[in-house]
Amino acid sequence: MNDISNAAAELANIDRAILDALQRGLPVTERPFAMIAQELGVYERVVVTKTAALKRAGYIRRLGAFFSSRCLGYRGTLVALSVEEEKLAAIAEFVNGFTGVTHNYQREGKYQLWFTLLTMDDAEKQSVLSAVEKTDGVNAIIELPSEKTYKIRVTLPMNEAKPLPIPQESGQPEQNDSDAMKELDYLDRQLIHLMSDELPVVDNPYDILAKKLNIPVGEVLNRINKYLSLGVMRRLGIVLAHRRAGYTANGLCAWQASPEQVDEIGATIAAEELRVSHCYRRQADETKGWPYTLYTMIHGHSREEVERIAASMAERYSGLGDRVMLYSVREWKKASMTYFG
């Protein structure tokens, strides 16, 4: 049996193959599942039926498009809160009420709540942060803005005998404006808005988008290919429900990194570390005793495995210094941004 975990032991080989294929990406063609079926040597109906069943069973968290918020005019920041324990739940729910908050996790450590915030401008960001900081029970707040993204992709192999290839990431600086918005017209905005939601598990999911917009499906496909080439869309495919699939431990590892080497290290981690799904360079906050600049989300079947991966990375990359591992305790919010709403 493939050593994924008891939680995923029920999966047949074809189920694992479908999950891995969808993690690689959903083809941009009128019948995408037919192309996956051809690759796997099965019928299209088998892939569609099993994908729907895997989603119902909780192995697939989301099937759809994943956009670059930066290219669409948004700026992201990571915020950490130190809060009074008895008021944590109320504060978490308050934070969840902001539409720009896409992820909100409770983690171990002094700073228990960690959330990501997407806003269109600095005034909107400061308004949210000010409201959060004034909330009863918040003792301290740290803002850790993105400086550079090396990798944003959860690709976890379900068949470890055939590891998934690690996709190359662009490593675009977060502060640079993109010209991509100039290439988007009103119809693009409508399509991107629709694709902010999940895609249905049907033979021809793109045809449904075409009918909603009253345009030919070929035009939908052409526009999607344009978004991919511009970097507006990072990929199409699934996000695996990693805990359900057996990856029950995940830790956000924050590192002190050599300023001269951090970009090289970040790019290498993105290209070679399969169990790292997210890798960012962020501003430190020395005034609050937070000197960490490189952030890696590490996934494993156990905490011991996560710790081994982090220790291996520390040995491999000489420019990495002290680190702190922030294990997830509870997920308070995880949602996709609805663009052009």
Side-chain angles (χ1 to χ4, degrees):
M1 181 184 297
N2 193 7
D3 183 21
I4 291 295
S5 81
N6 292 334
E10 66 201 61
L11 292 177
N13 287 338
I14 185 60
D15 297 314
R16 297 175 186 274
I18 289 170
L19 288 172
D20 280 350
L22 288 169
Q23 287 190 87
R24 287 193 295 270
L26 187 70
V28 184
T29 183
E30 286 194 40
R31 300 183 77 91
F33 295 104
M35 184 171 289
I36 292 174
Q38 183 177 14
E39 173 192 338
L40 300 180
V42 297
Y43 291 111
E44 177 188 31
R45 179 46 40 191
V46 171
V47 175
V48 174
T49 301
K50 284 190 169 290
T51 299
L54 288 164
K55 196 168 190 309
R56 288 194 302 271
Y59 289 98
I60 295 174
R61 181 154 201 154
R62 184 176 188 272
L63 169 67
F66 300 87
F67 292 97
S68 166
S69 298
R70 179 184 59 83
C71 286
L72 294 176
Y74 292 80
R75 293 295 177 267
T77 193
L78 178 66
V79 182
L81 302 178
S82 175
V83 304
E84 296 175 19
E85 200 66 36
E86 65 275 12
K87 296 177 181 176
L88 186 149
I91 294 169
E93 294 295 350
F94 177 73
V95 169
N96 288 351
F98 293 99
T99 57
V101 172
T102 56
H103 297 67
N104 187 10
Y105 284 92
Q106 182 177 342
R107 299 188 181 279
E108 295 178 357
K110 175 185 176 182
Y111 293 91
Q112 309 104 303
L113 285 179
W114 293 74
F115 66 90
T116 55
L117 176 65
L118 292 174
T119 55
M120 293 293 288
D121 54 49
D122 191 65
E124 181 185 2
K125 181 186 73 172
Q126 292 303 328
S127 176
V128 173
L129 296 184
S130 177
V132 170
E133 189 171 15
K134 293 175 183 176
T135 303
D136 185 35
V138 174
N139 296 324
I141 182 171
I142 297 180
E143 185 198 353
L144 305 163
S146 301
E147 291 186 328
K148 192 168 186 178
T149 301
Y150 305 105
K151 183 180 182 183
I152 315 175
R153 184 161 180 151
V154 185
T155 306
L156 301 171
M158 292 303 294
N159 182 356
E160 294 192 346
K162 297 179 180 179
L164 291 170
I166 301 179
Q168 296 299 308
E169 303 286 337
S170 62
Q172 291 293 330
E174 294 291 334
Q175 66 270 23
N176 286 357
D177 290 330
S178 170
D179 292 330
M181 286 290 289
K182 299 175 184 177
E183 304 292 330
L184 304 181
D185 59 24
Y186 177 70
L187 189 56
D188 287 318
R189 290 168 181 260
Q190 287 184 298
L191 180 55
I192 289 170
H193 175 72
L194 288 176
M195 295 188 75
S196 299
D197 202 355
E198 294 194 56
L199 287 174
V201 184
V202 295
D203 295 350
N204 49 357
Y206 304 119
D207 191 54
I208 293 176
L209 297 171
K211 289 177 179 177
K212 287 182 178 180
L213 295 174
N214 196 30
I215 60 176
V217 67
E219 184 171 352
V220 168
L221 299 177
N222 288 338
R223 287 177 182 266
I224 290 174
N225 281 321
K226 178 179 74 172
Y227 307 153
L228 290 167
S229 66
L230 290 172
V232 169
M233 185 184 292
R234 292 188 284 110
R235 68 181 184 97
L236 275 163
I238 64 166
V239 168
L240 200 67
H242 51 83
R243 291 184 184 277
R244 177 73 169 121
Y247 291 90
T248 54
N250 68 89
L252 177 61
C253 192
W255 306 80
Q256 287 185 268
S258 161
E260 294 78 19
Q261 295 176 267
V262 63
D263 284 341
E264 180 183 354
I265 294 171
T268 305
I269 288 173
E272 299 182 7
E273 299 290 344
L274 181 62
R275 296 295 185 82
V276 173
S277 62
H278 297 65
C279 185
Y280 293 92
R281 188 181 79 212
R282 296 185 179 277
Q283 289 182 21
D285 193 337
E286 300 279 2
T287 64
K288 296 183 179 178
W290 196 261
Y292 309 103
T293 55
L294 187 67
Y295 292 75
T296 55
M297 180 61 72
I298 304 173
H299 300 269
H301 301 123
S302 65
R303 287 197 178 196
E304 291 75 17
E305 184 178 24
V306 170
E307 292 291 344
R308 286 197 301 271
I309 293 169
S312 174
M313 290 168 61
E315 289 183 7
R316 182 176 180 186
Y317 307 109
S318 61
L320 293 178
D322 291 343
R323 67 183 185 270
V324 58
M325 187 71 77
L326 307 164
Y327 285 104
S328 303
V329 175
R330 177 172 175 177
E331 177 187 294
W332 286 94
K333 184 178 183 180
K334 187 173 184 178
S336 297
M337 191 71 178
T338 299
Y339 299 100
F340 308 128

